[in-house]
mmCIF file of all heavy atoms in Angstrom:
data_model
loop_
_atom_site.group_PDB
_atom_site.id
_atom_site.type_symbol
_atom_site.label_atom_id
_atom_site.label_comp_id
_atom_site.label_asym_id
_atom_site.label_seq_id
_atom_site.Cartn_x
_atom_site.Cartn_y
_atom_site.Cartn_z
ATOM 1 N N LEU A 181 15.546 -4.107 2.683
ATOM 2 C CA LEU A 181 15.482 -5.403 2.013
ATOM 3 C C LEU A 181 15.842 -5.326 0.536
ATOM 4 O O LEU A 181 16.165 -6.341 -0.083
ATOM 5 C CB LEU A 181 14.071 -5.999 2.148
ATOM 6 C CG LEU A 181 13.575 -6.287 3.567
ATOM 7 C CD1 LEU A 181 12.095 -6.650 3.529
ATOM 8 C CD2 LEU A 181 14.379 -7.411 4.208
ATOM 9 N N ILE A 182 15.778 -4.131 -0.035
ATOM 10 C CA ILE A 182 16.021 -3.976 -1.468
ATOM 11 C C ILE A 182 17.520 -4.055 -1.744
ATOM 12 O O ILE A 182 18.297 -3.215 -1.293
ATOM 13 C CB ILE A 182 15.441 -2.646 -1.984
ATOM 14 C CG1 ILE A 182 13.931 -2.567 -1.706
ATOM 15 C CG2 ILE A 182 15.716 -2.494 -3.480
ATOM 16 C CD1 ILE A 182 13.308 -1.227 -2.055
ATOM 17 N N GLN A 183 17.922 -5.059 -2.481
ATOM 18 C CA GLN A 183 19.335 -5.271 -2.779
ATOM 19 C C GLN A 183 19.817 -4.421 -3.944
ATOM 20 O O GLN A 183 20.971 -4.021 -4.006
ATOM 21 C CB GLN A 183 19.579 -6.755 -3.101
ATOM 22 C CG GLN A 183 19.173 -7.712 -1.996
ATOM 23 C CD GLN A 183 19.966 -7.492 -0.726
ATOM 24 O OE1 GLN A 183 21.195 -7.435 -0.759
ATOM 25 N NE2 GLN A 183 19.278 -7.377 0.403
ATOM 26 N N ASN A 184 18.913 -4.162 -4.890
ATOM 27 C CA ASN A 184 19.271 -3.433 -6.102
ATOM 28 C C ASN A 184 18.048 -2.628 -6.522
ATOM 29 O O ASN A 184 16.991 -3.198 -6.796
ATOM 30 C CB ASN A 184 19.678 -4.422 -7.197
ATOM 31 C CG ASN A 184 20.027 -3.743 -8.508
ATOM 32 O OD1 ASN A 184 19.849 -2.541 -8.665
ATOM 33 N ND2 ASN A 184 20.517 -4.520 -9.458
ATOM 34 N N GLN A 185 18.153 -1.318 -6.574
ATOM 35 C CA GLN A 185 17.007 -0.463 -6.858
ATOM 36 C C GLN A 185 16.732 -0.265 -8.351
ATOM 37 O O GLN A 185 15.830 0.506 -8.708
ATOM 38 C CB GLN A 185 17.207 0.895 -6.189
ATOM 39 C CG GLN A 185 17.193 0.830 -4.672
ATOM 40 C CD GLN A 185 17.229 2.204 -4.031
ATOM 41 O OE1 GLN A 185 17.557 3.187 -4.681
ATOM 42 N NE2 GLN A 185 16.896 2.264 -2.756
ATOM 43 N N GLU A 186 17.451 -0.973 -9.188
ATOM 44 C CA GLU A 186 17.210 -0.868 -10.623
ATOM 45 C C GLU A 186 15.756 -1.222 -10.945
ATOM 46 O O GLU A 186 15.255 -2.275 -10.576
ATOM 47 C CB GLU A 186 18.151 -1.814 -11.390
ATOM 48 C CG GLU A 186 17.973 -1.739 -12.908
ATOM 49 C CD GLU A 186 18.814 -2.767 -13.634
ATOM 50 O OE1 GLU A 186 19.578 -3.488 -12.966
ATOM 51 O OE2 GLU A 186 18.695 -2.848 -14.861
ATOM 52 N N ARG A 187 15.052 -0.345 -11.625
ATOM 53 C CA ARG A 187 13.655 -0.491 -12.056
ATOM 54 C C ARG A 187 12.695 -0.735 -10.890
ATOM 55 O O ARG A 187 11.625 -1.304 -11.069
ATOM 56 C CB ARG A 187 13.524 -1.603 -13.105
ATOM 57 C CG ARG A 187 14.414 -1.401 -14.345
ATOM 58 C CD ARG A 187 13.912 -2.117 -15.577
ATOM 59 N NE ARG A 187 13.498 -3.482 -15.361
ATOM 60 C CZ ARG A 187 14.315 -4.523 -15.352
ATOM 61 N NH1 ARG A 187 15.629 -4.351 -15.551
ATOM 62 N NH2 ARG A 187 13.855 -5.738 -15.164
ATOM 63 N N ILE A 188 13.076 -0.296 -9.699
ATOM 64 C CA ILE A 188 12.199 -0.359 -8.525
ATOM 65 C C ILE A 188 12.119 1.024 -7.898
ATOM 66 O O ILE A 188 13.134 1.581 -7.471
ATOM 67 C CB ILE A 188 12.719 -1.372 -7.482
ATOM 68 C CG1 ILE A 188 12.704 -2.792 -8.046
ATOM 69 C CG2 ILE A 188 11.857 -1.315 -6.214
ATOM 70 C CD1 ILE A 188 13.292 -3.828 -7.103
ATOM 71 N N ASN A 189 10.940 1.590 -7.867
ATOM 72 C CA ASN A 189 10.701 2.877 -7.220
ATOM 73 C C ASN A 189 9.913 2.631 -5.937
ATOM 74 O O ASN A 189 8.807 2.082 -5.986
ATOM 75 C CB ASN A 189 9.924 3.820 -8.137
ATOM 76 C CG ASN A 189 10.722 4.225 -9.359
ATOM 77 O OD1 ASN A 189 11.901 4.533 -9.248
ATOM 78 N ND2 ASN A 189 10.090 4.212 -10.519
ATOM 79 N N PHE A 190 10.480 3.025 -4.812
ATOM 80 C CA PHE A 190 9.811 2.808 -3.525
ATOM 81 C C PHE A 190 8.945 4.017 -3.170
ATOM 82 O O PHE A 190 9.351 5.170 -3.347
ATOM 83 C CB PHE A 190 10.837 2.567 -2.417
ATOM 84 C CG PHE A 190 10.211 2.493 -1.055
ATOM 85 C CD1 PHE A 190 9.496 1.377 -0.669
ATOM 86 C CD2 PHE A 190 10.312 3.558 -0.169
ATOM 87 C CE1 PHE A 190 8.894 1.319 0.571
ATOM 88 C CE2 PHE A 190 9.725 3.507 1.073
ATOM 89 C CZ PHE A 190 9.008 2.387 1.450
ATOM 90 N N VAL A 191 7.730 3.721 -2.653
ATOM 91 C CA VAL A 191 6.814 4.761 -2.200
ATOM 92 C C VAL A 191 6.461 4.468 -0.741
ATOM 93 O O VAL A 191 5.905 3.402 -0.431
ATOM 94 C CB VAL A 191 5.526 4.805 -3.047
ATOM 95 C CG1 VAL A 191 4.604 5.921 -2.549
ATOM 96 C CG2 VAL A 191 5.861 5.009 -4.525
ATOM 97 N N ALA A 192 6.788 5.388 0.145
ATOM 98 C CA ALA A 192 6.557 5.164 1.579
ATOM 99 C C ALA A 192 5.091 5.338 1.939
ATOM 100 O O ALA A 192 4.425 6.278 1.502
ATOM 101 C CB ALA A 192 7.409 6.135 2.389
ATOM 102 N N THR A 193 4.576 4.403 2.754
ATOM 103 C CA THR A 193 3.229 4.492 3.306
ATOM 104 C C THR A 193 3.329 4.313 4.816
ATOM 105 O O THR A 193 4.363 3.887 5.339
ATOM 106 C CB THR A 193 2.306 3.419 2.706
ATOM 107 O OG1 THR A 193 2.845 2.125 3.001
ATOM 108 C CG2 THR A 193 2.199 3.574 1.194
ATOM 109 N N THR A 194 2.242 4.606 5.511
ATOM 110 C CA THR A 194 2.285 4.559 6.977
ATOM 111 C C THR A 194 1.382 3.515 7.592
ATOM 112 O O THR A 194 1.424 3.287 8.798
ATOM 113 C CB THR A 194 1.892 5.933 7.551
ATOM 114 O OG1 THR A 194 0.558 6.252 7.127
ATOM 115 C CG2 THR A 194 2.851 7.015 7.078
ATOM 116 N N GLU A 195 0.550 2.854 6.747
ATOM 117 C CA GLU A 195 -0.428 1.909 7.297
ATOM 118 C C GLU A 195 -0.357 0.570 6.561
ATOM 119 O O GLU A 195 0.112 0.488 5.426
ATOM 120 C CB GLU A 195 -1.845 2.478 7.188
ATOM 121 C CG GLU A 195 -2.063 3.747 8.006
ATOM 122 C CD GLU A 195 -3.439 4.327 7.786
ATOM 123 O OE1 GLU A 195 -3.745 4.704 6.635
ATOM 124 O OE2 GLU A 195 -4.215 4.409 8.762
ATOM 125 N N VAL A 196 -0.878 -0.467 7.246
ATOM 126 C CA VAL A 196 -0.914 -1.819 6.683
ATOM 127 C C VAL A 196 -2.300 -2.397 6.893
ATOM 128 O O VAL A 196 -2.851 -2.316 8.002
ATOM 129 C CB VAL A 196 0.130 -2.739 7.350
ATOM 130 C CG1 VAL A 196 0.003 -4.163 6.829
ATOM 131 C CG2 VAL A 196 1.541 -2.206 7.131
ATOM 132 N N ILE A 197 -2.870 -2.978 5.871
ATOM 133 C CA ILE A 197 -4.123 -3.721 6.014
ATOM 134 C C ILE A 197 -3.761 -5.146 6.394
ATOM 135 O O ILE A 197 -3.132 -5.864 5.618
ATOM 136 C CB ILE A 197 -4.949 -3.688 4.719
ATOM 137 C CG1 ILE A 197 -5.421 -2.260 4.445
ATOM 138 C CG2 ILE A 197 -6.149 -4.634 4.820
ATOM 139 C CD1 ILE A 197 -6.241 -2.112 3.178
ATOM 140 N N ALA A 198 -4.146 -5.543 7.603
ATOM 141 C CA ALA A 198 -3.813 -6.873 8.106
ATOM 142 C C ALA A 198 -4.765 -7.918 7.544
ATOM 143 O O ALA A 198 -5.859 -7.601 7.063
ATOM 144 C CB ALA A 198 -3.871 -6.871 9.636
ATOM 145 N N MET A 199 -4.345 -9.184 7.612
ATOM 146 C CA MET A 199 -5.167 -10.275 7.100
ATOM 147 C C MET A 199 -6.526 -10.348 7.809
ATOM 148 O O MET A 199 -7.531 -10.713 7.204
ATOM 149 C CB MET A 199 -4.430 -11.606 7.253
ATOM 150 C CG MET A 199 -3.244 -11.763 6.317
ATOM 151 S SD MET A 199 -3.741 -11.793 4.585
ATOM 152 C CE MET A 199 -2.293 -12.527 3.832
ATOM 153 N N GLY A 200 -6.559 -9.985 9.080
ATOM 154 C CA GLY A 200 -7.792 -10.094 9.845
ATOM 155 C C GLY A 200 -8.677 -8.869 9.801
ATOM 156 O O GLY A 200 -9.772 -8.869 10.386
ATOM 157 N N ASP A 201 -8.277 -7.822 9.110
ATOM 158 C CA ASP A 201 -9.079 -6.601 9.035
ATOM 159 C C ASP A 201 -10.353 -6.826 8.223
ATOM 160 O O ASP A 201 -10.364 -7.596 7.249
ATOM 161 C CB ASP A 201 -8.273 -5.475 8.385
ATOM 162 C CG ASP A 201 -7.237 -4.872 9.312
ATOM 163 O OD1 ASP A 201 -7.254 -5.209 10.516
ATOM 164 O OD2 ASP A 201 -6.408 -4.070 8.839
ATOM 165 N N GLU A 202 -11.423 -6.125 8.622
ATOM 166 C CA GLU A 202 -12.666 -6.180 7.845
ATOM 167 C C GLU A 202 -12.414 -5.469 6.526
ATOM 168 O O GLU A 202 -12.018 -4.303 6.505
ATOM 169 C CB GLU A 202 -13.792 -5.494 8.630
ATOM 170 C CG GLU A 202 -15.184 -5.811 8.114
ATOM 171 C CD GLU A 202 -15.538 -5.022 6.855
ATOM 172 O OE1 GLU A 202 -15.230 -3.819 6.803
ATOM 173 O OE2 GLU A 202 -16.076 -5.639 5.909
ATOM 174 N N PRO A 203 -12.631 -6.146 5.389
ATOM 175 C CA PRO A 203 -12.143 -5.656 4.098
ATOM 176 C C PRO A 203 -12.569 -4.244 3.715
ATOM 177 O O PRO A 203 -11.713 -3.385 3.470
ATOM 178 C CB PRO A 203 -12.691 -6.695 3.109
ATOM 179 C CG PRO A 203 -12.782 -7.950 3.905
ATOM 180 C CD PRO A 203 -13.196 -7.508 5.275
ATOM 181 N N VAL A 204 -13.861 -3.994 3.615
ATOM 182 C CA VAL A 204 -14.318 -2.694 3.126
ATOM 183 C C VAL A 204 -13.946 -1.583 4.099
ATOM 184 O O VAL A 204 -13.502 -0.495 3.697
ATOM 185 C CB VAL A 204 -15.839 -2.711 2.874
ATOM 186 C CG1 VAL A 204 -16.320 -1.333 2.435
ATOM 187 C CG2 VAL A 204 -16.191 -3.751 1.812
ATOM 188 N N LYS A 205 -14.101 -1.857 5.393
ATOM 189 C CA LYS A 205 -13.750 -0.852 6.413
ATOM 190 C C LYS A 205 -12.264 -0.513 6.350
ATOM 191 O O LYS A 205 -11.873 0.655 6.437
ATOM 192 C CB LYS A 205 -14.115 -1.370 7.804
ATOM 193 C CG LYS A 205 -13.928 -0.346 8.927
ATOM 194 C CD LYS A 205 -14.413 -0.912 10.257
ATOM 195 C CE LYS A 205 -14.371 0.142 11.348
ATOM 196 N NZ LYS A 205 -13.029 0.669 11.599
ATOM 197 N N ALA A 206 -11.427 -1.546 6.200
ATOM 198 C CA ALA A 206 -9.988 -1.322 6.131
ATOM 199 C C ALA A 206 -9.620 -0.489 4.916
ATOM 200 O O ALA A 206 -8.791 0.423 4.990
ATOM 201 C CB ALA A 206 -9.257 -2.661 6.100
ATOM 202 N N MET A 207 -10.256 -0.791 3.792
ATOM 203 C CA MET A 207 -9.967 -0.033 2.568
ATOM 204 C C MET A 207 -10.339 1.441 2.743
ATOM 205 O O MET A 207 -9.617 2.327 2.299
ATOM 206 C CB MET A 207 -10.742 -0.638 1.402
ATOM 207 C CG MET A 207 -10.539 0.089 0.073
ATOM 208 S SD MET A 207 -11.880 -0.203 -1.100
ATOM 209 C CE MET A 207 -13.250 0.624 -0.301
ATOM 210 N N ARG A 208 -11.453 1.690 3.400
ATOM 211 C CA ARG A 208 -11.925 3.066 3.582
ATOM 212 C C ARG A 208 -11.150 3.818 4.664
ATOM 213 O O ARG A 208 -10.881 5.015 4.526
ATOM 214 C CB ARG A 208 -13.417 3.048 3.923
ATOM 215 C CG ARG A 208 -14.300 2.636 2.745
ATOM 216 C CD ARG A 208 -15.749 2.509 3.153
ATOM 217 N NE ARG A 208 -16.599 2.207 2.002
ATOM 218 C CZ ARG A 208 -17.871 1.813 2.090
ATOM 219 N NH1 ARG A 208 -18.431 1.704 3.279
ATOM 220 N NH2 ARG A 208 -18.571 1.566 1.004
ATOM 221 N N ASP A 209 -10.805 3.110 5.749
ATOM 222 C CA ASP A 209 -10.171 3.780 6.886
ATOM 223 C C ASP A 209 -8.666 3.938 6.735
ATOM 224 O O ASP A 209 -8.080 4.900 7.236
ATOM 225 C CB ASP A 209 -10.466 3.014 8.185
ATOM 226 C CG ASP A 209 -11.937 3.084 8.579
ATOM 227 O OD1 ASP A 209 -12.672 3.882 7.966
ATOM 228 O OD2 ASP A 209 -12.353 2.328 9.484
ATOM 229 N N LYS A 210 -8.031 2.982 6.052
ATOM 230 C CA LYS A 210 -6.573 2.999 5.936
ATOM 231 C C LYS A 210 -6.155 3.491 4.554
ATOM 232 O O LYS A 210 -5.617 2.758 3.723
ATOM 233 C CB LYS A 210 -6.006 1.611 6.228
ATOM 234 C CG LYS A 210 -6.257 1.149 7.668
ATOM 235 C CD LYS A 210 -5.601 -0.191 7.955
ATOM 236 C CE LYS A 210 -5.775 -0.594 9.413
ATOM 237 N NZ LYS A 210 -5.102 -1.880 9.734
ATOM 238 N N GLN A 211 -6.394 4.782 4.330
ATOM 239 C CA GLN A 211 -6.134 5.378 3.028
ATOM 240 C C GLN A 211 -4.645 5.449 2.696
ATOM 241 O O GLN A 211 -4.275 5.536 1.522
ATOM 242 C CB GLN A 211 -6.739 6.785 2.975
ATOM 243 C CG GLN A 211 -8.262 6.804 2.992
ATOM 244 C CD GLN A 211 -8.858 6.244 1.706
ATOM 245 O OE1 GLN A 211 -8.577 6.744 0.624
ATOM 246 N NE2 GLN A 211 -9.655 5.197 1.821
ATOM 247 N N ASP A 212 -3.789 5.406 3.722
ATOM 248 C CA ASP A 212 -2.346 5.450 3.467
ATOM 249 C C ASP A 212 -1.715 4.061 3.614
ATOM 250 O O ASP A 212 -0.522 3.942 3.861
ATOM 251 C CB ASP A 212 -1.653 6.442 4.408
ATOM 252 C CG ASP A 212 -0.273 6.850 3.881
ATOM 253 O OD1 ASP A 212 -0.147 7.069 2.657
ATOM 254 O OD2 ASP A 212 0.680 6.924 4.685
ATOM 255 N N SER A 213 -2.533 3.027 3.460
ATOM 256 C CA SER A 213 -1.992 1.669 3.494
ATOM 257 C C SER A 213 -1.331 1.343 2.158
ATOM 258 O O SER A 213 -1.635 1.948 1.121
ATOM 259 C CB SER A 213 -3.102 0.658 3.767
ATOM 260 O OG SER A 213 -4.045 0.654 2.700
ATOM 261 N N SER A 214 -0.422 0.391 2.193
ATOM 262 C CA SER A 214 0.296 -0.003 0.980
ATOM 263 C C SER A 214 -0.652 -0.508 -0.102
ATOM 264 O O SER A 214 -0.461 -0.222 -1.292
ATOM 265 C CB SER A 214 1.347 -1.071 1.313
ATOM 266 O OG SER A 214 0.756 -2.141 2.041
ATOM 267 N N MET A 215 -1.708 -1.227 0.287
ATOM 268 C CA MET A 215 -2.639 -1.772 -0.699
ATOM 269 C C MET A 215 -3.472 -0.674 -1.350
ATOM 270 O O MET A 215 -3.603 -0.622 -2.583
ATOM 271 C CB MET A 215 -3.565 -2.802 -0.054
ATOM 272 C CG MET A 215 -4.536 -3.457 -1.033
ATOM 273 S SD MET A 215 -5.717 -4.549 -0.232
ATOM 274 C CE MET A 215 -4.645 -5.885 0.324
ATOM 275 N N VAL A 216 -4.040 0.210 -0.549
ATOM 276 C CA VAL A 216 -4.892 1.271 -1.085
ATOM 277 C C VAL A 216 -4.087 2.227 -1.958
ATOM 278 O O VAL A 216 -4.529 2.631 -3.037
ATOM 279 C CB VAL A 216 -5.606 2.021 0.060
ATOM 280 C CG1 VAL A 216 -6.299 3.278 -0.472
ATOM 281 C CG2 VAL A 216 -6.616 1.100 0.741
ATOM 282 N N ARG A 217 -2.880 2.588 -1.501
ATOM 283 C CA ARG A 217 -2.050 3.494 -2.295
ATOM 284 C C ARG A 217 -1.655 2.848 -3.639
ATOM 285 O O ARG A 217 -1.598 3.533 -4.667
ATOM 286 C CB ARG A 217 -0.800 3.877 -1.498
ATOM 287 C CG ARG A 217 -1.061 4.791 -0.298
ATOM 288 C CD ARG A 217 -1.270 6.237 -0.722
ATOM 289 N NE ARG A 217 -0.143 6.774 -1.460
ATOM 290 C CZ ARG A 217 0.978 7.250 -0.889
ATOM 291 N NH1 ARG A 217 1.099 7.247 0.448
ATOM 292 N NH2 ARG A 217 1.951 7.726 -1.629
ATOM 293 N N ALA A 218 -1.386 1.555 -3.619
ATOM 294 C CA ALA A 218 -1.041 0.855 -4.857
ATOM 295 C C ALA A 218 -2.233 0.838 -5.811
ATOM 296 O O ALA A 218 -2.086 1.060 -7.017
ATOM 297 C CB ALA A 218 -0.578 -0.570 -4.546
ATOM 298 N N ALA A 219 -3.426 0.589 -5.268
ATOM 299 C CA ALA A 219 -4.635 0.590 -6.096
ATOM 300 C C ALA A 219 -4.890 1.976 -6.673
ATOM 301 O O ALA A 219 -5.273 2.125 -7.847
ATOM 302 C CB ALA A 219 -5.832 0.128 -5.270
ATOM 303 N N GLN A 220 -4.670 3.009 -5.877
ATOM 304 C CA GLN A 220 -4.878 4.378 -6.334
ATOM 305 C C GLN A 220 -3.899 4.730 -7.451
ATOM 306 O O GLN A 220 -4.244 5.446 -8.400
ATOM 307 C CB GLN A 220 -4.708 5.356 -5.164
ATOM 308 C CG GLN A 220 -5.148 6.782 -5.481
ATOM 309 C CD GLN A 220 -6.635 6.898 -5.771
ATOM 310 O OE1 GLN A 220 -7.458 6.330 -5.049
ATOM 311 N NE2 GLN A 220 -6.978 7.613 -6.842
ATOM 312 N N ALA A 221 -2.678 4.205 -7.361
ATOM 313 C CA ALA A 221 -1.678 4.450 -8.408
ATOM 314 C C ALA A 221 -2.141 3.877 -9.745
ATOM 315 O O ALA A 221 -1.923 4.474 -10.802
ATOM 316 C CB ALA A 221 -0.331 3.851 -8.007
ATOM 317 N N VAL A 222 -2.800 2.726 -9.687
ATOM 318 C CA VAL A 222 -3.325 2.125 -10.914
ATOM 319 C C VAL A 222 -4.471 2.966 -11.459
ATOM 320 O O VAL A 222 -4.542 3.254 -12.661
ATOM 321 C CB VAL A 222 -3.785 0.674 -10.652
ATOM 322 C CG1 VAL A 222 -4.464 0.093 -11.894
ATOM 323 C CG2 VAL A 222 -2.598 -0.201 -10.256
ATOM 324 N N LYS A 223 -5.367 3.380 -10.578
ATOM 325 C CA LYS A 223 -6.486 4.220 -11.015
ATOM 326 C C LYS A 223 -5.997 5.514 -11.651
ATOM 327 O O LYS A 223 -6.550 5.981 -12.660
ATOM 328 C CB LYS A 223 -7.397 4.551 -9.836
ATOM 329 C CG LYS A 223 -8.573 5.439 -10.218
ATOM 330 C CD LYS A 223 -9.439 5.793 -9.036
ATOM 331 C CE LYS A 223 -10.601 6.689 -9.459
ATOM 332 N NZ LYS A 223 -11.473 7.055 -8.311
#
């Protein structure tokens, strides 16, 4: 989907936290999800 990689660095993950997932459990269980990995990058 990326048309131009200028100033965009892609990081591959293997899991997704779905809208219906239980929040805290999903955060703890899906350590390689896009959301958790992004949060860890900020930390």
Side-chain angles (χ1 to χ4, degrees):
L181 298 171
I182 302 174
Q183 302 298 310
N184 178 353
Q185 293 187 344
E186 181 185 357
R187 303 204 314 276
I188 296 176
N189 294 317
F190 174 74
V191 181
T193 60
T194 60
E195 296 176 298
V196 176
I197 294 180
M199 289 296 198
D201 284 351
E202 196 282 317
V204 177
K205 186 176 186 299
M207 179 202 67
R208 290 175 176 168
D209 292 349
K210 296 184 176 182
Q211 292 291 302
D212 199 41
S213 64
S214 52
M215 182 185 292
V216 170
R217 290 282 302 279
Q220 190 64 45
V222 174
K223 179 182 180 180

